[in-house]
Structures are given as structure tokens and as C-alpha cells.
Amino acid sequence: MKQRLTYLKTLSSSVNLAQLEDLHVLQIQHKKAQALISLFGGQLLSFKPAGQDELIWLSDKADLSGKTPIRGGIPICWPWFGKANLPAHGFARTSLWQLSHCHENDAGVQITLTLQEDANTLALWPHAFTLEMQFTIGDSLDVRLNVKNSGSKPFFFGGALHTYFAVRDISKTQVTQLGRHYTEHGKNYASDGTANFTGEVDRNYLQASATVSIIQEIEPTIEVHNSGNNAVVVWNPGQALCAKMSDMSADGYQSMVCVESAIYDNQMPLASGQHSLLSTRIARVPSAR
Ligand code: TA6
């Protein structure tokens, strides 16, 4: 990744603007962590706390042209989740976000990006809005999507912080504390609260704990604390679907899992002038095994 970055401009002592293929990215290099955030999509692409391995997965075949969604990182799905409308997962992940705030101290760096309606978004979804995406990068990663209805009428929305986590081996990975029920491809299933991966998994867990864990064989557990969501979506394409995806290597599915803070049903109401927050906080903790 590093070698493909071209320096453009210094924004603060820990933050540079850089070019990654056709994308403008914020390169964060702080004593607590390194990170990379694309202005296209407002999408975090990398988070590496000091002395630790990369936490976030980015496909080695990700399209970085700034024209189509980037496979990996934390895509912001909004104002809808899935294929409720077109484009799939909404337009926020293919919009150009503005840097509005950059602050740093001993604990880390805080970056805020914003997105507002324009002619393109209004053609897809007829509502005025202001999105603020706040990244707090330090020992842990805190990501908050603040949605404001800046129009005169109420609207309903959905979406997700569609985080791709890097794992060593998906067949030896479990996601736990997911609750006793999930839906998958429109059907209901009972669950013991743990997801294992032996093929494609595309589940909406509707009763998950606020904190879910990604447990691996040797690596430290990753804790994911979500709020403002009504589901935790767990996705891995498995071998067969992965083989059909142009922006993933054939073995890409083996090293990633998506655990998403999601409003999966697109039914979150927001009155004129009101705010709503969807967030996820990610950190490694010592393994229980
Ligand atoms: O969040 C799970 C999911 O909606 C899956 O159904 C799968 O399609 C995945 O997201 C990726 O979607 P994308 O539009 O990025 O190919």
C-alpha cells in the first residue's frame, strides 16, 4: 500500500493529503496509530494501531479509480442498505466527501468528513441532508456517522458501516455474541449466537449484543462495539461467490470478514431538523484462548 501513495500536501503534523491511484486520501501517521481515509466514499481503508497488525481488510484487487465502490475498508452504506434501491448500498460510498475538521493530540487524531445533497443525490433520493463522518484514530478506532435531516419533510433511511476486518484464516474465525436469531436471504433462523464460516454467510443478526467479538485461533480478539444500529450484518462471500467477483482475488474471502453496524430494514425515521447517530468502535483485546 505505502509504495502506491504519492505525497501531495501536509495538513497537520500527523496528517498528509496523498494520492492513491485515482483517489485523494488522508494519510494519518501518529505515534498511536496509522490510518488511511479516502475522500471518495468517506471510506477508511486502513487502521494499524502502533505495534499491531493491520485491523482492516482492503482487497488487493480493489478498484481505486474513484468511479465504483472500493472493496474493503469501511464503506458507508447510506441512505439505504442493500438493493432496496439503486445504486446498491446507496450513494454515500461513491460520493466525494469534504474534509471539514482535523484535530490531533497525544491520544490520536480526529478527522471529520461531510457530505450534503447535490443535484446527483437529489436525482436518486429527493431529500436534503447533512452527513458528518467522524473518525477518532488512536489505540482504538471510533467511527461515527451523524445524519441530519436538513430538509423540511421527514424521511426514512437505512445503511451500514460495512467494516471489512482482516483475519488470518476465515475457517478458524468465529463471530460471537450475535444473539439468538438471524435472517438470511429472506428466511428466519435460530442461532446460538456464534457465526462460523464454511461457505457463504450473509446474515442479519437482529438481537446481537452491543459488543460483538471476532475470535481467531491465535490472534487477539477484536471487539466491535456498535450503536444506533438495529442489526449486525455478518458477511463473507465464500469461495464460489468470491470467484465471480472482479474486485477480489480468488482466495480473498479467506482473509476477511464483514461485521457491520447496520440499519438493515431502511426504516429509521428522521424528522426535519433532527439528528441520528450510527457508530462502531473497534479495538483488539487480549485473546481469551
Ligand atoms: O452487507 C452484506 C451485503 O449486502 C451482501 O449481500 C453482499 O452483497 C455485500 O454486502 C457486498 O455488497 P457490494 O454491493 O459491496 O458488492
Side-chain angles (χ1 to χ4, degrees):
M1 166 71 68
K2 241 183 195 166
Q3 59 279 16
R4 287 146 70 192
L5 283 173
T6 309
Y7 167 86
L8 293 176
K9 193 177 167 185
T10 301
L11 301 179
S12 74
S13 52
S14 300
V15 184
N16 289 337
L17 182 67
Q19 182 105 22
L20 175 65
E21 298 195 7
D22 295 327
L23 305 178
H24 278 173
V25 295
L26 304 173
Q27 183 183 19
I28 293 110
Q29 292 172 299
H30 187 276
K31 64 179 178 187
K32 291 285 185 186
Q34 298 185 2
L36 210 57
I37 299 170
S38 165
L39 296 181
F40 174 75
Q43 189 162 336
L44 182 132
L45 303 179
S46 164
F47 171 63
K48 193 173 173 308
Q52 295 184 28
D53 291 337
E54 177 65 59
L55 260 159
I56 300 295
W57 184 89
L58 177 65
S59 174
D60 51 12
K61 292 179 77 180
D63 181 341
L64 304 177
S65 66
K67 296 195 174 103
T68 57
I70 303 168
R71 179 73 60 203
I74 310 185
I76 303 168
C77 304
W78 197 87
W80 53 84
F81 179 78
K83 295 182 177 143
N85 210 333
L86 285 175
H89 285 319
F91 49 73
R93 66 176 178 165
T94 49
S95 295
L96 198 56
W97 292 59
Q98 302 296 319
L99 173 64
S100 63
H101 179 81
C102 174
H103 173 80
E104 61 185 83
N105 58 24
D106 269 3
V109 177
Q110 201 175 72
I111 303 275
T112 306
L113 305 181
T114 56
L115 181 71
Q116 287 183 301
E117 81 283 356
D118 62 16
N120 293 332
T121 71
L122 289 168
L124 295 165
W125 194 66
H127 300 285
F129 64 86
T130 303
L131 297 184
E132 276 189 358
M133 185 71 175
Q134 191 181 83
F135 302 91
T136 304
I137 295 148
D139 291 332
S140 59
L141 172 68
D142 187 83
V143 180
R144 291 165 190 234
L145 178 67
N146 188 10
V147 179
K148 182 181 179 193
N149 181 346
S150 41
S152 55
K153 293 184 188 150
F155 61 61
F156 291 88
F157 71 95
L161 301 170
H162 195 302
T163 311
Y164 287 74
F165 290 91
V167 297
R168 186 169 301 274
D169 180 350
I170 190 65
S171 70
K172 294 177 181 154
T173 300
Q174 293 185 319
V175 184
T176 65
Q177 292 126 272
L178 287 166
R180 304 225 153 257
H181 175 71
Y182 66 86
T183 67
E184 187 165 30
H185 303 308
K187 291 189 181 153
N188 290 299
Y189 297 91
S191 165
D192 63 2
T194 296
N196 292 290
F197 302 88
T198 52
E200 184 187 348
V201 167
D202 190 353
R203 299 180 185 166
N204 305 321
Y205 284 90
L206 308 182
Q207 298 160 359
S209 302
T211 301
V212 304
S213 297
I214 302 171
I215 298 176
Q216 303 185 60
E217 197 178 34
I218 300 165
E219 290 72 19
T221 292
I222 303 168
E223 277 190 356
V224 185
H225 182 83
N226 300 317
S227 73
N229 58 318
N230 60 16
V232 171
V233 176
V234 177
W235 180 61
N236 179 282
Q239 186 174 19
L241 179 57
C242 184
K244 295 185 198 151
M245 295 171 64
S246 60
D247 56 0
M248 274 178 88
S249 304
D251 61 357
Y253 74 96
Q254 292 173 348
S255 57
M256 54 72 64
V257 64
C258 287
V259 178
E260 310 166 30
S261 180
I263 300 164
Y264 79 107
D265 56 358
N266 300 313
Q267 291 301 313
M268 182 68 79
L270 197 60
S272 168
Q274 296 301 301
H275 291 257
S276 178
L277 194 65
L278 179 66
S279 75
T280 193
R281 192 174 69 239
I282 296 159
R284 281 204 177 90
V285 293
S287 182
R289 293 182 179 189

